Amino acid sequence: MNMKLNLGAVLALGLTCTTAFAQEMRAPEGPIEFTVGSAAGGTPDVIMRTIAQIMNEEGIVENPIVIQNRSGAGHSNAYNHVLGLPGDENTLLTLASPVFTTPIVQGTPSVIDQITPIAGFVQSELMLLTTPTSEWTGIQDMVAAAQANPGAVRVAGGASGGNDHIATGLVEKAAGITLTYIPHESGGAARATFLGGNVELHFATLAEGMEQIAAGTAKPLGLLSAARRTEAGVADIPTLQEQGVDVVYTQFWGVGGPPQMDPALAAWWADKFRQATETQTWKDGLAANMQLGNFYALDEAKTYFAAEQDTFRAVLTQIGLAK
Amino acid sequence: MIEALLQGFSVAMMPENLLFIFIGVLIGQVVGALPGVGPAAGMALLLPLTFGLEPVTAIMMLAGIMYGGQYGGTLTSVLINVPGEASGVMTAMDGHAMARQGRAGAALAIAAIGSFIAGLGAVLAVAVITPPLASIGLKFNAPEYFLLALLGVIAVGSLGDAPIRSLLAGVLGLLIALVGVDPLTGTPRLNFGIPALYQGIDFIPVAIGVFGIAEVLHSLERSEKVEPIRTRLKDMWLTSQDWAACRFSILRGGVIGLFVGIMPGAGASVASLLSYLTERKFSKHPERFGSGAIDGVAAAESANNAASHGALIPMLSLGIPGSASSAVLLAALILHGIKPGPMLMSTESALVWGLIASMVVGNLFLLILNLPMAPVFAALLRVPYVYLAPGILVISLVGAYAATLSMATVWMCIVFGLLGWLMMKLDIPRAPLVLALVLAPLMEASLRQALLLSLGSPMIFVERPISAVLLAAVLFALIAPIVRVMRKRP
Amino acid sequence: MMRFLQAVPALFMICLAAGVMIGTAGLAFWDGFTPGARFFPGLLSAAAVILSLALLLTLQRGTDAGRPELPDAPGARRVLAAMAGLVTLALLIPVIGLLPAAGLFMLFLLLVVLRAALLPSLLTTAILLVGVEVIFVRWLAVPLPAPLFQ
């Protein structure tokens, strides 16, 4: 009797859920491809593999999910593949900064204006590092040095027009200084240049930066965030903003569907990504990697991506890369 | 430290781990032998399968794919002259020539032995001196990379029987590398508005085309009855002269490979090229290099395996991947919830030492697997070439497609196949082209990075000690041939 | 004819160098502290021209300029047929899918170009297709191009 009642209650709950969302959500059929524009091992790749694993293992998404690395050509192999599948129901595109910047640099139509925005779900704050032996104690010391000797302060960063380059451009503009940006083929190569003591500055995500600081191979000059972190050890690192250099810049990742994706399908995916990011596994991962989990779905995501695109275009124009 | 290593062995010897190390090296052997796929892509494709495993087991298995791939890549280089990745180009030069002489078995055997010895040495180096080696690796930066690449490009001029034609092929490779994008500023360059060319032309379609497809096209010209390469059983095995010729090649190759491997910016391809060229200097019969010198195979193979292990040093101690495959390994660590970085060796010592011990075991598996199999693989060449040729073409193209999932790569393979065939017809050597293509971005980007580091002063090449030594080597490489020519004239 | 063939690489490289210089027009030779995007193209074009002239000079002097060898007529026909087959293969892959296209290509090459025996040809094709299916599709889960109208 008791049992029956419970079953009935569950059934009723299930029914209300279905009716509440029936109009706007529809599940895709068959296996799903998450298209990733970076090679295996790149941050977007790791993020998508992690979330796909959570979706499948915790039963959030029943359809098998495959990660495909359509790497190369500044993510254009990946986004052109997805742009070429209008209305497709089984492919999602991973959104990382090259999806925004490659079209701006190459002078091709914006990708983000064509795809169906689904969600922005993870962000990484950045910190500015200097060498452990440096005399600088804060960003203003660096600014003073750069003002005294324009171009003499060097930054080792990833690819030209990438996140590190954008961050450098923002710092230059906010502080009114000129830095020498040295691009590298990968973030790892840039870190090697920095650790070898060849340059003064380097941008790192919080997790990477804290590792370096703990190992005594780097010293923080400030966070590029709007507010300080709360964790012990990180909490005493000031933001650039509070030191008088008004820069807030975070890396972010998201997903989108092909052009003309059925809105019901996009809503279904947005819901699934929300569920996946609410799991303990995902939250633990965010905490371990010191990432942020601000969630933007559908129209919010569209606005968010559009604003980021404007930032990218402005900075790329400022550093002379926009076409 | 001995204690830590023993603890590592106790982890690696657990039956489940042994099984997955074996599966890993076996998979590596297979994907390494697929042209175009290679260890990095193989690891990425199989990464999801490791999610159910313990992190230590998963990392051991993936590392097995990584170095197993080096052994597997030898197969295609030697048997069908298709280097599946850049580090196999030097192996193909002499290895395939040996195969044509019916000595494929010996080439494969020495490659396996050389890889094993050099791999083992490199693993020990990883175990004993990782932190100091990593800091040596960091002493190499843009100025050193530029000079190293320049040295390589000058040296490719000496591959082949006429410097002018070799250099011309090298310049062609460098010109191909210009396509796509300026490696430093990201300015689009010579991409003709074709999206597939935005980031330049990758090594894989060029190597598959210029070596594999061209080779098959060339063989199709000859009349119907192409003789299968004769392989007699007694030619399969190493002779004592072979071993005498190779002992020190393996040693030198291993040391060079290790040192190049620990530099985060230079990989197994630079290692095998430098090792091959060094070996030719040491050899008593330098004229045989390029036409089936077994010590050339030994040097190239031991160097690339040592380099692929050495690339783990910056990865484990600094969190900087030294190669494409160690980047995938790094990602696997993250996916399994382990944070790589400078603290890894202290926070995850069981994992790190387990991995090191597993590489000893895995290399042993590969040796045991490869030695008896060398004659068997070599016997594949007994299949009449008529039936082999179309298969090589199809597998090469499928492998190229699988590497990028783009038809553009397939088209590039065909275009470069035609180019390679024309080069064969016109007697222009092909190896310099492919090597120059690999070295070009390193050369161009690091010259400009070096000048940015020095804020425009060319003195940076002299002021840094390692750089100064390399500069002297470059000058010597440039001047020595000129002096030789001058002396010849009465 | 022989001399012309010997000169082909030099002529090709000179044309290529000119093409590179035209293609990079508008990029900068020097960019602040460092060489610009056109520096290496310029340097390499110059090297290509110098080396090509050196090759032509050795040709003129009759010293070593390579030994080009052209295939005989049936050989050339087979190579051209194989190239045509490759191009057709690449064109067919997106339309009928990779495996069917590869099968047709194998049979074309074996039976038409190489005139191999029917039975072993069918066998080789079958083995290869099964191998590709098992290794690439089943095992490595590579999404090979499927037929356009499934």
Side-chain angles (χ1 to χ4, degrees):
Chain A
M1 182 64 197
N2 206 350
M3 190 79 157
K4 235 180 196 169
L5 203 76
N6 273 344
L7 202 72
V10 170
L11 213 68
L13 201 72
L15 275 175
T16 46
C17 279
T18 349
T19 43
F21 293 109
Q23 270 92 40
E24 54 221 313
M25 280 197 204
R26 187 168 65 80
E29 279 168 30
I32 304 298
E33 172 183 320
F34 286 179
T35 305
V36 181
S38 80
T43 312
D45 175 71
V46 172
I47 288 172
M48 294 313 277
R49 283 182 197 271
T50 312
I51 204 151
Q53 197 185 352
I54 291 175
M55 285 176 165
N56 275 169
E57 279 183 4
E58 309 213 356
I60 296 168
V61 174
E62 301 289 334
N63 316 48
I65 303 174
V66 189
I67 308 291
Q68 287 301 350
N69 301 96
R70 298 181 187 269
S71 57
H75 286 220
S76 69
N77 277 347
Y79 66 64
N80 284 330
H81 172 75
V82 177
L83 288 179
L85 299 167
D88 185 272
E89 309 209 330
N90 296 64
T91 313
L92 295 189
L93 175 68
T94 310
L95 302 177
S97 57
V99 175
F100 297 75
T101 55
T102 304
I104 300 176
V105 174
Q106 297 287 349
T108 49
S110 153
V111 175
I112 205 70
D113 296 351
Q114 298 175 62
I115 56 141
T116 311
I118 291 176
F121 57 95
V122 55
Q123 302 84 28
S124 232
E125 295 166 90
L126 297 173
M127 65 162 77
L128 182 56
L129 298 173
T130 189
T131 48
T133 51
S134 166
E135 287 166 2
W136 301 337
T137 53
I139 188 76
Q140 288 302 343
D141 293 344
M142 187 282 281
V143 170
Q147 269 163 352
N149 223 337
V153 177
R154 299 159 293 182
V155 190
S160 200
N163 276 300
D164 297 340
H165 203 172
I166 303 274
T168 308
L170 289 171
V171 169
E172 282 179 316
K173 193 173 176 210
I177 52 174
T178 309
L179 302 170
T180 294
Y181 184 77
I182 306 176
H184 288 74
E185 59 281 13
S186 69
R191 203 171 336 143
T193 297
F194 172 70
L195 293 176
N198 299 296
V199 296
E200 288 79 21
L201 298 178
H202 179 57
F203 289 99
T205 61
L206 291 195
E208 288 163 1
M210 290 317 290
E211 279 274 313
Q212 305 296 346
I213 294 166
T217 50
K219 194 166 86 171
L221 287 179
L223 305 184
L224 282 76
S225 317
R228 291 196 190 199
R229 294 286 292 196
T230 48
E231 293 98 329
V234 200
D236 27 298
I237 303 177
T239 64
L240 293 190
Q241 228 173 13
E242 65 184 87
Q243 298 179 72
V245 175
D246 189 13
V247 176
V248 174
Y249 180 69
T250 46
Q251 273 183 281
F252 65 93
W253 296 273
V255 279
Q260 294 134 44
M261 188 186 219
D262 179 356
L265 212 58
W268 185 86
W269 273 116
D271 184 49
K272 295 300 168 187
F273 272 90
R274 186 192 300 278
Q275 286 178 31
T277 53
E278 280 165 0
T279 58
Q280 198 54 42
T281 326
W282 178 257
K283 286 181 178 162
D284 290 347
L286 284 187
N289 294 314
M290 297 190 185
Q291 285 164 326
L292 298 176
N294 298 332
F295 195 88
Y296 308 88
L298 307 171
D299 284 344
E300 284 158 38
K302 187 173 185 171
T303 321
Y304 175 67
F305 293 146
E308 292 293 340
Q309 179 168 256
D310 291 342
T311 311
F312 285 130
R313 190 178 296 282
V315 182
L316 288 171
T317 310
Q318 175 199 331
I319 54 188
L321 278 178
K323 211 171 182 180
Chain B
M1 196 216 73
I2 299 285
E3 204 175 313
L5 189 60
L6 286 178
Q7 189 210 342
F9 269 106
S10 70
V11 178
M13 293 304 227
M14 281 170 9
E16 191 196 341
N17 289 345
L18 276 183
L19 176 70
F20 280 99
I21 296 170
F22 182 72
I23 294 178
V25 297
L26 200 63
I27 292 174
Q29 178 92 40
V30 177
V31 296
L34 297 173
V37 179
M43 287 163 78
L45 291 169
L46 295 164
L47 198 54
L49 299 184
T50 69
F51 286 160
L53 304 175
E54 284 292 305
V56 179
T57 314
I59 300 303
M60 286 176 171
M61 176 176 144
L62 287 170
I65 301 179
M66 180 178 88
Y67 51 81
Q70 293 291 349
Y71 286 75
T74 315
L75 282 179
T76 45
S77 296
V78 169
L79 296 181
I80 54 175
N81 202 12
V82 184
E85 52 182 331
S87 61
V89 176
M90 303 317 298
T91 312
M93 282 196 69
D94 285 270
H96 188 65
M98 283 180 72
R100 289 187 170 283
Q101 295 152 17
R103 303 212 62 218
L108 292 174
I110 199 68
I113 295 172
S115 294
F116 173 72
I117 296 175
L120 203 62
V123 172
L124 289 180
V126 173
V128 181
I129 41 176
T130 287
L133 271 186
S135 58
I136 293 176
L138 285 182
K139 293 246 187 305
F140 281 81
N141 207 274
E144 289 78 19
Y145 290 142
F146 168 66
L147 293 169
L148 208 58
L150 186 60
L151 202 57
V153 169
I154 296 169
V156 297
S158 63
L159 300 172
D161 47 355
I164 293 183
R165 275 175 283 136
S166 299
L167 283 172
L168 213 51
V171 170
L172 180 58
L174 294 170
L175 285 171
I176 291 170
L178 293 175
V179 169
V181 65
D182 169 0
L184 204 70
T185 62
T187 316
R189 179 172 73 187
L190 294 172
N191 67 19
F192 313 107
I194 303 168
L197 296 179
Y198 280 178
Q199 293 282 301
I201 295 174
D202 191 36
F203 163 80
I204 286 175
V206 178
I208 287 182
V210 164
F211 284 107
I213 294 180
E215 200 73 36
V216 175
L217 289 178
H218 175 70
S219 71
L220 290 181
E221 300 170 6
R222 279 165 284 163
S223 63
E224 273 91 319
K225 26 184 194 329
V226 180
E227 288 285 311
I229 299 169
R230 272 180 221 285
T231 39
R232 284 174 304 170
L233 212 55
K234 81 175 177 62
D235 289 338
M236 286 288 191
W237 199 236
L238 294 175
T239 62
S240 52
Q241 291 115 294
D242 288 341
W243 178 240
C246 292
R247 276 176 308 185
F248 293 105
S249 320
I250 293 171
L251 208 63
R252 286 185 288 262
V255 173
I256 293 173
L258 178 65
F259 273 92
V260 177
I262 62 172
M263 304 175 196
S269 48
V270 177
S272 61
L273 172 64
L274 284 184
S275 164
Y276 180 89
L277 295 167
T278 312
E279 211 40 51
R280 198 174 50 182
K281 285 259 178 297
F282 276 99
S283 175
K284 291 192 192 76
H285 48 83
E287 73 288 349
R288 267 207 266 160
F289 273 66
S291 52
I294 193 164
D295 35 347
V297 178
E301 276 299 302
S302 44
N304 70 31
N305 202 35
S308 102
H309 287 80
L312 287 178
I313 290 178
M315 189 209 107
L316 291 174
S317 58
L318 302 170
I320 296 172
S323 62
S325 30
S326 58
V328 182
L329 206 56
L330 206 62
L333 285 174
I334 300 171
L335 287 172
H336 281 280
I338 293 161
K339 209 156 59 172
M343 311 304 278
L344 184 72
M345 301 220 32
S346 43
T347 54
E348 295 282 348
S349 75
L351 178 122
V352 172
W353 288 101
L355 175 62
I356 289 170
S358 83
M359 295 196 291
V360 175
V361 178
N363 271 289
L364 194 64
F365 279 150
L366 283 164
L367 182 71
I368 298 173
L369 206 63
N370 275 279
L371 274 188
M373 293 302 274
V376 180
F377 290 131
L380 271 181
L381 293 178
R382 293 191 177 196
V383 175
Y385 198 76
V386 175
Y387 299 106
L388 226 43
I392 294 174
L393 288 180
V394 168
I395 292 185
S396 298
L397 293 184
V398 175
Y401 179 82
T404 57
L405 302 181
S406 157
M407 276 307 288
T409 315
V410 175
W411 282 108
M412 280 192 222
C413 285
I414 296 174
V415 171
F416 282 104
L418 184 63
L419 178 73
W421 178 71
L422 289 172
M423 287 174 76
M424 290 176 91
K425 293 299 97 188
L426 297 173
D427 197 20
I428 302 289
R430 294 166 293 161
L433 180 147
V434 178
L435 287 166
L437 179 72
V438 177
L439 294 171
L442 184 65
M443 183 161 86
E444 182 173 10
S446 52
L447 169 64
R448 293 163 62 182
Q449 283 165 350
L451 288 173
L452 281 172
L453 284 174
S454 69
L455 303 176
S457 158
M459 293 307 284
I460 191 171
F461 295 107
V462 192
E463 285 162 0
R464 297 166 64 107
I466 301 178
S467 172
V469 172
L470 285 169
L471 185 63
V474 167
L475 292 178
F476 179 77
L478 279 176
I479 293 166
I482 300 174
V483 172
R484 214 174 302 142
V485 173
M486 302 278 265
R487 271 202 196 147
K488 261 188 199 161
R489 281 194 198 144
Chain C
M1 184 62 185
M2 184 69 177
R3 302 203 75 178
F4 173 69
L5 282 178
Q6 284 176 314
V8 164
L11 301 176
F12 173 78
M13 290 299 284
I14 291 173
C15 295
L16 194 65
V20 165
M21 289 319 287
I22 294 167
T24 54
L27 298 176
F29 261 112
W30 206 261
D31 175 15
F33 291 138
T34 79
R38 207 186 184 193
F39 179 79
F40 266 76
L43 196 71
L44 292 173
S45 302
V49 170
I50 292 170
L51 284 167
S52 302
L53 292 179
L55 190 73
L56 291 178
L57 193 71
T58 53
L59 184 60
Q60 186 71 37
R61 284 194 184 165
T63 46
D64 177 65
R67 292 173 301 279
E69 44 159 356
L70 279 196
D72 52 3
R77 265 201 299 277
R78 270 193 297 271
V79 172
L80 283 179
M83 271 311 292
L86 281 170
V87 170
T88 317
L89 169 67
L91 288 173
L92 278 182
I93 285 175
V95 183
I96 62 169
L98 192 143
L99 285 176
L104 285 180
F105 171 76
M106 291 279 291
L107 291 176
F108 166 74
L109 213 59
L110 283 167
L111 298 175
V112 181
V113 180
L114 294 167
R115 294 177 198 280
L118 180 64
L119 209 58
S121 299
L122 288 173
L123 196 68
T124 317
T125 308
I127 291 174
L128 188 98
L129 292 184
V130 170
V132 168
E133 169 77 19
V134 168
I135 294 182
F136 285 96
V137 180
R138 296 281 156 85
W139 188 52
L140 294 173
V142 174
L144 295 181
L148 203 53
F149 308 103
Q150 222 164 2

